[in-house]
Amino acid sequence: MPELPPRLAPADPAEPTDVFAPLRGHRVRVLGPRRAPSLTEVLLDPTRGHLREDADDAALRALIRHQLRLAVGIVGGFFAVVVLTVVLIGTGAADRWTVASVPLEWLIPAAVLPGLLLVLGWMFVRRTEAREARWARETGPDSDPAAAGTAGERP
C-alpha cells in the first residue's frame, strides 16, 4: 500500500482509507441550465465566435431539413442500387453478362458501387454547399458579427 500523507492516513492501519472524507465538507451543488439552449447555442461553435447570431431560426431549420432530406434520399438511392445488385447476383442473372471478359457479378461490387459512392458524396457536398450559400445570402450580411468587428465576443 502506498504511503499516505499524515492527514489522510487512517488512524488504524486495518481500517479502510477514505481519501475523500476531508473534501466532503467543501461540496457545492451544481445545477444545470435553467432553460433549454437556443438554436444558435446548439448549432454554432462558441469558441470561434458566432457567425450568425440573429439568423432566422425558421430559415436555419429549413436548411437543416433540406440537408437531412438530401442525405436520406442519397442513402435510399444507394441502398436501392445495392438491393438490385444483390437480387441480380442472387438470381444468377448477372453471371450471363460480361464486360471486357469480367463477369458483371464481379464488376458491380468491385467498381460500380465504390464509384457510385464517390459520385453521390460529391453530389451531396455540392448541393449542400449551394444551399448553405443561398441561406447565407438570404439571411443577409448585416447578421454577420465578423463584419462589424465583434467576432469571438460574447454578449
Side-chain angles (χ1 to χ4, degrees), residues 76-103:
F78 182 74
F79 182 72
V81 170
V82 169
V83 167
L84 180 65
T85 302
V86 168
V87 168
L88 282 174
I89 292 173
T91 60
D95 60 354
R96 286 180 268 178
W97 297 301
T98 60
V99 176
S101 66
V102 176

Side-chain angles (χ1 to χ4, degrees), residues 27-108:
R27 284 188 180 173
V28 177
R29 186 177 190 133
V30 178
L31 301 173
R34 300 272 184 218
R35 60 176 180 80
S38 70
L39 189 62
T40 303
E41 291 171 341
V42 171
L43 295 177
L44 300 176
D45 184 10
T47 60
R48 294 186 299 166
H50 294 308
L51 299 177
R52 305 254 180 237
E53 287 185 354
D54 59 347
D56 185 21
D57 287 348
L60 188 59
R61 286 190 184 104
L63 173 69
I64 293 169
R65 270 194 317 273
H66 175 267
Q67 291 176 345
L68 289 174
R69 199 174 322 128
L70 179 63
V72 167
I74 286 175
V75 168
F78 182 74
F79 182 72
V81 170
V82 169
V83 167
L84 180 65
T85 302
V86 168
V87 168
L88 282 174
I89 292 173
T91 60
D95 60 354
R96 286 180 268 178
W97 297 301
T98 60
V99 176
S101 66
V102 176
L104 194 60
E105 63 184 350
W106 292 2
L107 191 63
I108 291 174

